Amino acid sequence: MTNHSLYRGSIFHCIETSSGVEPAYHEDGLMVIKGERIVEVGGYAELSARYSSEGSIVHFKDSLIMPGFIDSHIHYPQYKVISSYGSSLLEWLNKYTFVEEQKFSDSEYAAKIAELFLDELIKNGTTTAMTFCASYKQSVDVFFSAAEKRNMRMIAGKVMMDRNAPAGLCDDIDSSYADSKSLIEKWHNKGRLSYAVTPRFAPTSTEGQLIQAAKLLTEHPDVLLQTHLNENSEEIAWVKELYPEFNNYFDVYDKLGLSGPSSVFGHCIYNTVDEYKRMAETSSKVALCPTSNLFLGSGLFALNELESYGIDVALASDVGGGDSFSMFDVMNQAYKVCRLNGYNLDPVKAFYLTTLAAAKVLGVDDSIGNFESNKEADFIVLDLNATELIRQKMQTATDISDLLFCLMMLGDDRLVDEVYILGQCAYKK
Ligand code: GUN
Ligand code: ZN
């Protein structure tokens, strides 16, 4: 009988126990897959005795098998905005982003970029993302169609934006509600796809539009919400001007019905104590975007503060504000943001924040994020000989933490040798 797929190699994933997050590491491991799902992962000696008659074993030597990365905040229409020179957030939005996003009214252009974007995610080992689309309904249709063809677990939504942007990009209160609603009906929970209501950020929405966004959440309780919060000081001052009757930036979202356990707020650098408290009370989630924050010069997030309030966080690339699709880069720069704050980011924690923690923030941890039995088999195979420097440095690694730290500081897409989506090989370098 050969109805299982068997992969031998070093295997790493994160698990949660009563004492917290722990690395599960099998230096010589076996991963057993049946169809689209994980059956079991464990030591080779033990599992091969039970499963070797079930199929032939593929051996990945000098490799690390781990779950596919999960990027909890990214913008697919900003594929070509990446690395735009020399601006802080609001200027960068006007000068580059709003110009490029207008091209997505053309479905053919949008479809082409969606394919390039997904290619780039996959070659970097990212198998799931939550992405902003453009404000045009068709930009969401082509994105979901492209993800569906590849069997990828993806979350996306139409940007809602009815002021402070070029007229060509703006929707209005009624159309943004109606378009979002019909996209939810068409795509939400279709196979591996799900929807996120996506008001861009408070400055580009009227209060009326945010109220309609909240109405969508009430009508569709299992859709997510994605937006931006407290990324940049000018942005925060602007929100104060636009929403003078609210206590703070988070209060705008909170009072209008957009906070909660299914809401993911990007950035959250400059939170006040009141905001931290309300975010925790509402179980709102946070996507931290170090590459973007450093590229745009936005500031340094405070991971320890967020954690001290018990707020769930994940890491994210925020391409095109972020200048890399690689979650290795994201972890590298998250480590340095923490160093500048005077503490370390533990490497196991860094990988947790790009896999299982991100799955939890996106509410998909029952399906992906680690190799628990019956989860969907999205995994990547990293080549530990990918560069001479990594190969040499690996010889000095004494444990899994050392090994992971080396990968997160020195790694990039050259490490990603193979990518499997739902048990099928989707990419070989
Ligand atoms: N705030 C509002 N829109 C955006 C965006 O597209 N990127 C980033 N980084 N911040 C935003
Ligand atoms: Zn963003």
Side-chain angles (χ1 to χ4, degrees), residues 204-416:
T204 49
S205 286
T206 57
E207 189 169 326
Q209 184 169 60
L210 296 182
I211 289 168
Q212 288 305 90
K215 185 164 177 241
L216 289 166
L217 296 181
T218 311
E219 292 166 350
H220 305 277
D222 67 335
V223 306
L224 300 188
L225 173 111
Q226 59 179 343
T227 190
H228 298 87
L229 172 67
N230 285 331
E231 176 178 4
N232 165 292
S233 345
E234 288 162 6
E235 170 209 18
I236 295 165
W238 196 20
V239 171
K240 220 179 199 142
E241 264 172 46
L242 293 169
Y243 288 95
E245 66 279 28
F246 292 84
N247 297 330
N248 52 53
Y249 194 164
F250 184 70
D251 193 44
V252 175
Y253 297 131
D254 193 19
K255 283 226 177 79
L256 298 178
L258 297 173
S259 58
S262 304
S263 299
V264 184
F265 295 92
H267 302 287
C268 302
I269 299 173
Y270 299 104
N271 306 331
T272 61
V273 169
D274 286 347
E275 289 177 301
Y276 278 123
K277 284 185 182 157
R278 266 311 282 168
M279 290 170 79
E281 277 165 14
T282 56
S283 304
S284 296
K285 310 288 198 284
V286 171
L288 295 174
C289 310
T291 45
S292 170
N293 300 159
L294 297 178
F295 180 77
L296 293 173
S298 302
L300 305 176
F301 57 72
L303 176 61
N304 61 346
E305 286 272 299
L306 286 156
E307 287 183 335
S308 74
Y309 285 93
I311 297 166
D312 286 345
V313 304
L315 288 171
S317 72
D318 192 32
V319 162
D323 59 345
S324 171
F325 277 82
S326 174
M327 297 309 278
F328 294 110
D329 269 333
V330 169
M331 292 187 282
N332 173 317
Q333 299 193 29
Y335 177 79
K336 292 168 185 169
V337 168
C338 291
R339 281 306 316 142
L340 284 166
N341 284 328
Y343 47 88
N344 283 352
L345 173 59
D346 174 83
V348 172
K349 163 83 83 62
F351 278 78
Y352 171 69
L353 294 176
T354 53
T355 56
L356 185 57
K360 291 177 77 161
V361 160
L362 302 182
V364 289
D365 54 309
D366 54 346
S367 305
I368 54 171
N370 67 5
F371 294 147
E372 271 166 29
S373 294
N374 213 36
K375 284 201 181 181
E376 297 162 355
D378 287 353
F379 64 95
I380 61 181
V381 183
L382 304 178
D383 172 10
L384 303 181
N385 292 331
T387 71
E388 185 59 26
L389 183 58
I390 289 173
R391 195 172 79 81
Q392 294 295 335
K393 184 79 187 166
M394 277 299 146
Q395 293 165 11
T396 72
T398 54
D399 59 16
I400 181 64
S401 286
D402 252 15
L403 187 153
L404 295 174
F405 189 59
C406 169
L407 297 182
M408 71 187 243
M409 299 316 289
L410 299 175
D412 56 36
D413 60 322
R414 289 171 296 179
L415 274 175
V416 180

